[in-house]
Amino acid sequence: MSTVVLAYSGGLDTSVAIRWIKEQYNLDVITLTIDVGNERDLPAIAARAEQIGAVKAMVVDGRADFVRYFVWPALQAGAIYEGQYPLATALARPLIARLLVEVARAEGAGAVAHGCTGKGNDQVRFDVSVNTLAPELKIIAPVREWSMTRDNEIAYAHEHSIPIQVTNASPYSVDQNLWGRSVECGVLEDPWAEPPEEVYAWTSNPDVSSSSEPTYLEITFQHGTPVALNGEELDGVVLIETLNKLAGQYGIGRIDHIENRLVGIKSREVYEAPAAVVLHAAHSALESLTLGRDQARFKEMVAAEYARLIYNGQWYSALHQDLAAYVHSTQRFVSGTVRVKLSHGHCAIVGRRSEHSLYSHGLATYDSGDQFDHNAALGFIKLWGLPLRTQAQAQLLPSIGIEGDLLSLDTHIS
Ligand code: ARG
């Protein structure tokens, strides 16, 4: 084993890691920088990797695959962790892991490396994915292994002439891709402290910019996948970028969440995910029109389970294949258009239509043209209530009422 492929972001940790791995493990380092829409100067990052001592610095544009194989399926599933987090960081990890494995195999490397700490979810996602896809590969996680503080790392960098940009060092740890931006650390570690404006980069302050008018948007879906904005067909990457900008200007997509990490820690996370918030709202509005009641109810459970498995690093699992097949099947009639109103800090669904709509005006209307059989309701109510009547008479009647359960419930509460 003489080569390792390092997932390289260009930041302090992974820059120091290039040199540290060479020193500790005596391995040649190939860096792999993957563009998942994180707006960085990729050629400059690759050049820096070589300058620090990488034998090869590779850059891969993963944006299209990220959207097609990770983001859209998660959107179709309605996967939002703990009802809040659209899973941007978590969704990119299995893609990065897969590319690490592919490059390691193509280059004949015996190991892969990443810059995750030993406290987070990301190390689990990388390690579990790599172990599943390529059990023969060794995994090196320098930041988990070395015991350097940030200052130690900076000193190490100076000592080994590693170019780093500490001048604009931020107290926050940020990870971002097309689906969202995740911010941790600094003052955010106090769950009582309101996030300062400086943590936000994609969204304007919804309290301040309240002058402009609302914007209406039409989002068209085909089988649960967004395909057009205002009637214009757009490629997925462009569609997400456009929505991030547009909804971000309205301050939509700020999420402040106390989250349960897989490793047992509660952590305070701030997310910005304008496109994800708008698209989840729109997608779910279209499902409310096109899925039957029981399908919708069951899918909610699947969505929670789906979100958990993404969060917990189980992308390459059989459970995921099973749930994905179910979700895919649910989307066959989720085609149509949703009208969204963006105003300050708020995204409202104001209209929806589909050629597969289950909404029947004749059944719903209170006006003339009502086709609902009012008399049938009587029989329905009789049977629907039958078990309650039966049980109340046999078991509950003596204790229902003023002197029974309701009263004792009161006493119990007070
Ligand atoms: N808590 C989120 C997750 O586990 C975001 C992690 C962000 N990572 C980072 N390096 N700042 O997916």
Side-chain angles (χ1 to χ4, degrees):
M1 180 178 90
S2 63
T3 309
V4 56
V5 183
L6 166 70
Y8 183 60
S9 71
L12 176 65
D13 288 339
T14 48
S15 293
V16 168
I18 295 177
R19 182 63 202 241
W20 187 87
I21 291 175
K22 189 142 192 51
E23 232 173 38
Q24 294 290 315
Y25 287 91
N26 194 24
L27 294 173
D28 284 339
V29 179
I30 294 176
T31 59
L32 174 62
T33 304
I34 296 155
D35 183 5
V36 272
N38 15 20
E39 298 166 356
R40 295 166 304 169
D41 183 349
L42 299 168
I45 290 176
R48 190 179 322 145
E50 284 175 343
Q51 195 186 340
I52 299 170
V55 294
K56 190 168 178 182
M58 301 175 65
V59 173
V60 171
D61 182 353
R63 291 175 305 163
D65 282 348
F66 181 51
V67 171
R68 177 165 175 201
Y69 297 112
F70 295 85
V71 172
W72 286 165
L75 174 66
Q76 292 174 321
I80 300 183
Y81 184 65
E82 296 184 335
Q84 302 232 46
Y85 168 36
L87 293 161
T89 297
L91 279 166
R93 299 320 191 187
L95 171 63
I96 297 171
R98 189 185 187 112
L99 291 170
L100 278 175
V101 166
E102 276 174 19
V103 170
R105 285 190 172 148
E107 299 288 331
V112 296
H114 58 70
C116 301
T117 71
K119 291 182 78 163
N121 299 309
D122 287 329
Q123 53 166 350
V124 182
R125 296 167 185 150
F126 277 131
D127 288 16
V128 168
S129 298
V130 170
N131 286 331
T132 305
L133 297 172
E136 76 280 7
L137 289 176
K138 182 179 160 58
I139 300 170
I140 300 173
V143 180
R144 192 167 58 193
E145 296 169 26
W146 70 39
S147 41
M148 286 198 267
T149 62
R150 194 179 161 80
D151 286 343
N152 297 151
E153 286 182 53
I154 293 169
Y156 184 98
H158 286 318
E159 206 179 301
H160 295 89
S161 316
I162 298 170
I164 47 160
Q165 299 148 320
V166 272
T167 38
N168 49 14
S170 138
Y172 307 106
S173 161
V174 178
D175 177 71
Q176 64 183 35
N177 61 49
L178 279 169
W179 204 227
R181 188 168 171 272
S182 310
V183 192
E184 299 168 331
C185 304
V187 67
L188 300 177
E189 289 179 355
D190 174 0
W192 179 250
E194 180 174 357
E197 264 313 295
E198 65 182 15
V199 308
Y200 299 108
W202 290 9
T203 52
S204 59
N205 185 344
D207 299 334
V208 176
S209 50
S210 55
S211 54
S212 67
E213 292 296 301
T215 290
Y216 288 86
L217 261 184
E218 289 187 7
I219 306 175
T220 302
F221 291 82
Q222 204 162 18
H223 306 304
T225 298
V227 292
L229 277 188
N230 292 329
E232 185 191 353
E233 275 189 34
L234 291 179
D235 151 75
V237 172
V238 177
L239 189 143
I240 294 174
E241 282 172 346
T242 308
L243 272 181
N244 272 333
K245 283 214 181 69
L246 198 58
Q249 283 164 10
Y250 281 93
I252 293 165
R254 293 185 172 191
I255 297 159
D256 178 352
H257 181 212
I258 301 293
E259 174 174 297
N260 290 293
R261 283 192 195 164
L262 177 60
V263 294
I265 299 169
K266 276 195 195 292
S267 74
R268 206 283 186 81
E269 307 278 330
V270 168
Y271 299 109
E272 290 181 287
V277 164
V278 172
L279 288 173
H280 269 293
H283 176 261
S284 125
L286 191 57
E287 284 192 332
S288 68
L289 200 65
T290 53
L291 294 186
R293 175 171 59 187
D294 294 329
Q295 280 178 297
R297 184 179 49 80
F298 190 75
K299 188 165 180 284
E300 262 181 44
M301 293 188 280
V302 172
E305 209 48 55
Y306 209 109
R308 256 196 297 277
L309 80 81
I310 293 170
Y311 189 84
N312 291 342
Q314 296 162 301
W315 186 265
Y316 298 108
S317 64
L319 173 64
H320 181 199
Q321 292 183 329
D322 297 341
L323 296 187
Y326 174 76
V327 169
H328 183 72
S329 170
T330 61
Q331 300 301 292
R332 60 203 189 280
F333 298 113
V334 186
S335 300
T337 298
V338 179
R339 215 151 77 89
V340 180
K341 179 177 168 181
L342 308 180
S343 52
H344 289 282
H346 188 57
C347 147
I349 305 300
V350 294
R352 61 294 267 163
R353 66 165 181 242
S354 165
E355 55 179 308
H356 308 295
S357 171
L358 300 174
Y359 181 89
S360 160
H361 187 266
L363 290 178
T365 187
Y366 285 95
D367 296 336
S368 59
D370 183 1
Q371 293 158 4
F372 186 78
D373 181 351
H374 291 242
N375 289 328
L378 278 178
F380 169 73
I381 291 164
K382 206 165 175 186
L383 295 188
W384 175 247
L386 177 64
L388 276 73
R389 284 200 310 277
T390 310
Q391 190 163 19
Q393 273 159 24
Q395 300 172 346
L396 302 173
L397 266 190
S399 60
I400 287 181
I402 300 222
E403 290 179 14
D405 267 356
L406 293 180
L407 197 64
S408 60
L409 192 64
D410 266 358
T411 347
H412 196 69
I413 289 167
S414 62

PDB file of all heavy atoms in Angstrom, residues 9 34-42 45 63 176-178 180-181 201-202 241 244-245:
ATOM      1  N   SER A   9     -10.942  19.495   0.856  1.00  0.00           N
ATOM      2  CA  SER A   9     -11.798  20.670   0.711  1.00  0.00           C
ATOM      3  C   SER A   9     -10.985  21.935   0.469  1.00  0.00           C
ATOM      4  O   SER A   9     -11.527  22.948   0.046  1.00  0.00           O
ATOM      5  CB  SER A   9     -12.626  20.856   1.983  1.00  0.00           C
ATOM      6  OG  SER A   9     -11.770  21.279   3.042  1.00  0.00           O
ATOM      7  N   ILE A  34     -14.364  17.449  -4.655  1.00  0.00           N
ATOM      8  CA  ILE A  34     -15.608  17.199  -5.378  1.00  0.00           C
ATOM      9  C   ILE A  34     -16.506  18.421  -5.313  1.00  0.00           C
ATOM     10  O   ILE A  34     -16.781  18.950  -4.235  1.00  0.00           O
ATOM     11  CB  ILE A  34     -16.321  15.970  -4.786  1.00  0.00           C
ATOM     12  CG1 ILE A  34     -15.420  14.734  -5.009  1.00  0.00           C
ATOM     13  CG2 ILE A  34     -17.685  15.756  -5.442  1.00  0.00           C
ATOM     14  CD1 ILE A  34     -15.659  13.648  -4.028  1.00  0.00           C
ATOM     15  N   ASP A  35     -16.936  18.839  -6.481  1.00  0.00           N
ATOM     16  CA  ASP A  35     -17.834  19.985  -6.547  1.00  0.00           C
ATOM     17  C   ASP A  35     -19.275  19.491  -6.393  1.00  0.00           C
ATOM     18  O   ASP A  35     -19.806  18.817  -7.259  1.00  0.00           O
ATOM     19  CB  ASP A  35     -17.646  20.679  -7.898  1.00  0.00           C
ATOM     20  CG  ASP A  35     -18.508  21.927  -8.016  1.00  0.00           C
ATOM     21  OD1 ASP A  35     -19.175  22.295  -7.023  1.00  0.00           O
ATOM     22  OD2 ASP A  35     -18.518  22.535  -9.103  1.00  0.00           O
ATOM     23  N   VAL A  36     -19.861  19.794  -5.233  1.00  0.00           N
ATOM     24  CA  VAL A  36     -21.277  19.481  -5.053  1.00  0.00           C
ATOM     25  C   VAL A  36     -22.061  20.790  -4.952  1.00  0.00           C
ATOM     26  O   VAL A  36     -23.102  20.874  -4.323  1.00  0.00           O
ATOM     27  CB  VAL A  36     -21.538  18.579  -3.809  1.00  0.00           C
ATOM     28  CG1 VAL A  36     -21.433  17.120  -4.177  1.00  0.00           C
ATOM     29  CG2 VAL A  36     -20.629  18.923  -2.654  1.00  0.00           C
ATOM     30  N   GLY A  37     -21.467  21.820  -5.560  1.00  0.00           N
ATOM     31  CA  GLY A  37     -22.129  23.118  -5.573  1.00  0.00           C
ATOM     32  C   GLY A  37     -21.705  23.959  -4.392  1.00  0.00           C
ATOM     33  O   GLY A  37     -22.511  24.700  -3.838  1.00  0.00           O
ATOM     34  N   ASN A  38     -20.448  23.849  -4.006  1.00  0.00           N
ATOM     35  CA  ASN A  38     -20.045  24.591  -2.813  1.00  0.00           C
ATOM     36  C   ASN A  38     -19.276  25.873  -3.122  1.00  0.00           C
ATOM     37  O   ASN A  38     -18.580  26.391  -2.274  1.00  0.00           O
ATOM     38  CB  ASN A  38     -19.285  23.717  -1.816  1.00  0.00           C
ATOM     39  CG  ASN A  38     -18.799  22.415  -2.403  1.00  0.00           C
ATOM     40  OD1 ASN A  38     -18.683  22.251  -3.609  1.00  0.00           O
ATOM     41  ND2 ASN A  38     -18.520  21.482  -1.548  1.00  0.00           N
ATOM     42  N   GLU A  39     -19.401  26.352  -4.357  1.00  0.00           N
ATOM     43  CA  GLU A  39     -18.893  27.680  -4.728  1.00  0.00           C
ATOM     44  C   GLU A  39     -17.470  27.932  -4.269  1.00  0.00           C
ATOM     45  O   GLU A  39     -17.219  28.821  -3.477  1.00  0.00           O
ATOM     46  CB  GLU A  39     -19.783  28.765  -4.084  1.00  0.00           C
ATOM     47  CG  GLU A  39     -21.204  28.743  -4.528  1.00  0.00           C
ATOM     48  CD  GLU A  39     -22.096  29.575  -3.630  1.00  0.00           C
ATOM     49  OE1 GLU A  39     -21.608  30.105  -2.628  1.00  0.00           O
ATOM     50  OE2 GLU A  39     -23.284  29.687  -3.963  1.00  0.00           O
ATOM     51  N   ARG A  40     -16.555  27.155  -4.748  1.00  0.00           N
ATOM     52  CA  ARG A  40     -15.172  27.424  -4.383  1.00  0.00           C
ATOM     53  C   ARG A  40     -14.329  27.526  -5.643  1.00  0.00           C
ATOM     54  O   ARG A  40     -14.745  27.097  -6.715  1.00  0.00           O
ATOM     55  CB  ARG A  40     -14.636  26.305  -3.485  1.00  0.00           C
ATOM     56  CG  ARG A  40     -15.338  26.217  -2.149  1.00  0.00           C
ATOM     57  CD  ARG A  40     -15.012  24.918  -1.460  1.00  0.00           C
ATOM     58  NE  ARG A  40     -15.342  23.788  -2.304  1.00  0.00           N
ATOM     59  CZ  ARG A  40     -14.974  22.539  -2.056  1.00  0.00           C
ATOM     60  NH1 ARG A  40     -14.251  22.269  -1.001  1.00  0.00           N
ATOM     61  NH2 ARG A  40     -15.307  21.565  -2.871  1.00  0.00           N
ATOM     62  N   ASP A  41     -13.127  28.061  -5.476  1.00  0.00           N
ATOM     63  CA  ASP A  41     -12.226  28.187  -6.612  1.00  0.00           C
ATOM     64  C   ASP A  41     -11.470  26.860  -6.746  1.00  0.00           C
ATOM     65  O   ASP A  41     -10.419  26.644  -6.148  1.00  0.00           O
ATOM     66  CB  ASP A  41     -11.268  29.361  -6.339  1.00  0.00           C
ATOM     67  CG  ASP A  41     -10.345  29.590  -7.512  1.00  0.00           C
ATOM     68  OD1 ASP A  41     -10.298  28.738  -8.425  1.00  0.00           O
ATOM     69  OD2 ASP A  41      -9.658  30.632  -7.505  1.00  0.00           O
ATOM     70  N   LEU A  42     -12.039  25.959  -7.524  1.00  0.00           N
ATOM     71  CA  LEU A  42     -11.515  24.595  -7.573  1.00  0.00           C
ATOM     72  C   LEU A  42     -10.102  24.493  -8.161  1.00  0.00           C
ATOM     73  O   LEU A  42      -9.262  23.783  -7.588  1.00  0.00           O
ATOM     74  CB  LEU A  42     -12.500  23.690  -8.319  1.00  0.00           C
ATOM     75  CG  LEU A  42     -13.874  23.624  -7.630  1.00  0.00           C
ATOM     76  CD1 LEU A  42     -14.902  22.961  -8.527  1.00  0.00           C
ATOM     77  CD2 LEU A  42     -13.789  22.880  -6.299  1.00  0.00           C
ATOM     78  N   ILE A  45      -7.749  25.424  -5.475  1.00  0.00           N
ATOM     79  CA  ILE A  45      -7.663  24.395  -4.433  1.00  0.00           C
ATOM     80  C   ILE A  45      -6.748  23.251  -4.890  1.00  0.00           C
ATOM     81  O   ILE A  45      -5.888  22.779  -4.142  1.00  0.00           O
ATOM     82  CB  ILE A  45      -9.075  23.879  -4.082  1.00  0.00           C
ATOM     83  CG1 ILE A  45      -9.858  24.972  -3.351  1.00  0.00           C
ATOM     84  CG2 ILE A  45      -9.000  22.617  -3.230  1.00  0.00           C
ATOM     85  CD1 ILE A  45     -11.303  24.617  -3.046  1.00  0.00           C
ATOM     86  N   ARG A  63     -21.986  17.674  -9.327  1.00  0.00           N
ATOM     87  CA  ARG A  63     -23.267  18.360  -9.096  1.00  0.00           C
ATOM     88  C   ARG A  63     -24.462  17.652  -9.728  1.00  0.00           C
ATOM     89  O   ARG A  63     -25.491  17.469  -9.085  1.00  0.00           O
ATOM     90  CB  ARG A  63     -23.183  19.816  -9.586  1.00  0.00           C
ATOM     91  CG  ARG A  63     -22.261  20.671  -8.721  1.00  0.00           C
ATOM     92  CD  ARG A  63     -22.093  22.052  -9.295  1.00  0.00           C
ATOM     93  NE  ARG A  63     -21.617  21.972 -10.673  1.00  0.00           N
ATOM     94  CZ  ARG A  63     -21.672  22.964 -11.542  1.00  0.00           C
ATOM     95  NH1 ARG A  63     -22.178  24.132 -11.187  1.00  0.00           N
ATOM     96  NH2 ARG A  63     -21.208  22.808 -12.763  1.00  0.00           N
ATOM     97  N   GLN A 176     -21.129  23.372   2.917  1.00  0.00           N
ATOM     98  CA  GLN A 176     -22.238  23.747   2.052  1.00  0.00           C
ATOM     99  C   GLN A 176     -22.217  22.996   0.729  1.00  0.00           C
ATOM    100  O   GLN A 176     -21.180  22.569   0.243  1.00  0.00           O
ATOM    101  CB  GLN A 176     -22.270  25.252   1.817  1.00  0.00           C
ATOM    102  CG  GLN A 176     -21.071  25.815   1.077  1.00  0.00           C
ATOM    103  CD  GLN A 176     -21.164  27.329   0.956  1.00  0.00           C
ATOM    104  OE1 GLN A 176     -21.654  28.006   1.859  1.00  0.00           O
ATOM    105  NE2 GLN A 176     -20.711  27.863  -0.165  1.00  0.00           N
ATOM    106  N   ASN A 177     -23.381  22.811   0.193  1.00  0.00           N
ATOM    107  CA  ASN A 177     -23.533  22.262  -1.151  1.00  0.00           C
ATOM    108  C   ASN A 177     -24.841  22.819  -1.717  1.00  0.00           C
ATOM    109  O   ASN A 177     -25.496  23.638  -1.069  1.00  0.00           O
ATOM    110  CB  ASN A 177     -23.488  20.722  -1.115  1.00  0.00           C
ATOM    111  CG  ASN A 177     -24.601  20.110  -0.279  1.00  0.00           C
ATOM    112  OD1 ASN A 177     -25.767  20.461  -0.429  1.00  0.00           O
ATOM    113  ND2 ASN A 177     -24.251  19.188   0.608  1.00  0.00           N
ATOM    114  N   LEU A 178     -25.207  22.369  -2.911  1.00  0.00           N
ATOM    115  CA  LEU A 178     -26.403  22.918  -3.557  1.00  0.00           C
ATOM    116  C   LEU A 178     -27.652  22.884  -2.684  1.00  0.00           C
ATOM    117  O   LEU A 178     -28.517  23.750  -2.753  1.00  0.00           O
ATOM    118  CB  LEU A 178     -26.725  22.083  -4.807  1.00  0.00           C
ATOM    119  CG  LEU A 178     -25.938  22.373  -6.066  1.00  0.00           C
ATOM    120  CD1 LEU A 178     -26.211  21.261  -7.077  1.00  0.00           C
ATOM    121  CD2 LEU A 178     -26.350  23.717  -6.641  1.00  0.00           C
ATOM    122  N   GLY A 180     -27.933  23.015   0.588  1.00  0.00           N
ATOM    123  CA  GLY A 180     -28.001  23.814   1.804  1.00  0.00           C
ATOM    124  C   GLY A 180     -26.640  24.085   2.405  1.00  0.00           C
ATOM    125  O   GLY A 180     -25.616  23.563   1.962  1.00  0.00           O
ATOM    126  N   ARG A 181     -26.679  24.935   3.430  1.00  0.00           N
ATOM    127  CA  ARG A 181     -25.464  25.366   4.096  1.00  0.00           C
ATOM    128  C   ARG A 181     -25.628  25.054   5.581  1.00  0.00           C
ATOM    129  O   ARG A 181     -26.668  25.393   6.165  1.00  0.00           O
ATOM    130  CB  ARG A 181     -25.347  26.881   3.854  1.00  0.00           C
ATOM    131  CG  ARG A 181     -24.081  27.513   4.301  1.00  0.00           C
ATOM    132  CD  ARG A 181     -23.967  28.947   3.752  1.00  0.00           C
ATOM    133  NE  ARG A 181     -22.820  29.574   4.389  1.00  0.00           N
ATOM    134  CZ  ARG A 181     -22.887  30.224   5.545  1.00  0.00           C
ATOM    135  NH1 ARG A 181     -24.034  30.393   6.150  1.00  0.00           N
ATOM    136  NH2 ARG A 181     -21.794  30.730   6.091  1.00  0.00           N
ATOM    137  N   ALA A 201     -25.224  33.420   5.038  1.00  0.00           N
ATOM    138  CA  ALA A 201     -24.560  33.870   3.813  1.00  0.00           C
ATOM    139  C   ALA A 201     -25.476  33.787   2.596  1.00  0.00           C
ATOM    140  O   ALA A 201     -25.254  34.457   1.602  1.00  0.00           O
ATOM    141  CB  ALA A 201     -23.311  33.043   3.557  1.00  0.00           C
ATOM    142  N   TRP A 202     -26.498  32.962   2.663  1.00  0.00           N
ATOM    143  CA  TRP A 202     -27.363  32.762   1.496  1.00  0.00           C
ATOM    144  C   TRP A 202     -28.699  33.484   1.620  1.00  0.00           C
ATOM    145  O   TRP A 202     -29.436  33.593   0.644  1.00  0.00           O
ATOM    146  CB  TRP A 202     -27.692  31.269   1.328  1.00  0.00           C
ATOM    147  CG  TRP A 202     -26.568  30.403   0.897  1.00  0.00           C
ATOM    148  CD1 TRP A 202     -25.240  30.722   0.796  1.00  0.00           C
ATOM    149  CD2 TRP A 202     -26.687  29.035   0.492  1.00  0.00           C
ATOM    150  NE1 TRP A 202     -24.532  29.634   0.371  1.00  0.00           N
ATOM    151  CE2 TRP A 202     -25.389  28.578   0.175  1.00  0.00           C
ATOM    152  CE3 TRP A 202     -27.755  28.147   0.385  1.00  0.00           C
ATOM    153  CZ2 TRP A 202     -25.138  27.283  -0.255  1.00  0.00           C
ATOM    154  CZ3 TRP A 202     -27.509  26.851  -0.043  1.00  0.00           C
ATOM    155  CH2 TRP A 202     -26.207  26.431  -0.371  1.00  0.00           C
ATOM    156  N   GLU A 241     -30.103  26.215  -7.980  1.00  0.00           N
ATOM    157  CA  GLU A 241     -29.336  27.458  -7.806  1.00  0.00           C
ATOM    158  C   GLU A 241     -30.247  28.678  -7.911  1.00  0.00           C
ATOM    159  O   GLU A 241     -30.138  29.622  -7.121  1.00  0.00           O
ATOM    160  CB  GLU A 241     -28.235  27.554  -8.882  1.00  0.00           C
ATOM    161  CG  GLU A 241     -27.038  26.680  -8.581  1.00  0.00           C
ATOM    162  CD  GLU A 241     -26.034  26.631  -9.752  1.00  0.00           C
ATOM    163  OE1 GLU A 241     -26.390  27.049 -10.881  1.00  0.00           O
ATOM    164  OE2 GLU A 241     -24.917  26.161  -9.522  1.00  0.00           O
ATOM    165  N   ASN A 244     -32.349  28.944  -4.783  1.00  0.00           N
ATOM    166  CA  ASN A 244     -31.550  29.368  -3.629  1.00  0.00           C
ATOM    167  C   ASN A 244     -31.405  30.888  -3.623  1.00  0.00           C
ATOM    168  O   ASN A 244     -31.565  31.541  -2.587  1.00  0.00           O
ATOM    169  CB  ASN A 244     -30.166  28.706  -3.647  1.00  0.00           C
ATOM    170  CG  ASN A 244     -30.167  27.345  -2.946  1.00  0.00           C
ATOM    171  OD1 ASN A 244     -30.983  27.096  -2.051  1.00  0.00           O
ATOM    172  ND2 ASN A 244     -29.270  26.471  -3.347  1.00  0.00           N
ATOM    173  N   LYS A 245     -31.128  31.443  -4.798  1.00  0.00           N
ATOM    174  CA  LYS A 245     -30.942  32.903  -4.893  1.00  0.00           C
ATOM    175  C   LYS A 245     -32.244  33.633  -4.620  1.00  0.00           C
ATOM    176  O   LYS A 245     -32.318  34.540  -3.788  1.00  0.00           O
ATOM    177  CB  LYS A 245     -30.443  33.282  -6.287  1.00  0.00           C
ATOM    178  CG  LYS A 245     -28.984  32.999  -6.465  1.00  0.00           C
ATOM    179  CD  LYS A 245     -28.302  34.032  -7.389  1.00  0.00           C
ATOM    180  CE  LYS A 245     -26.836  33.674  -7.537  1.00  0.00           C
ATOM    181  NZ  LYS A 245     -26.635  32.425  -8.324  1.00  0.00           N
TER     182      LYS A 245
END
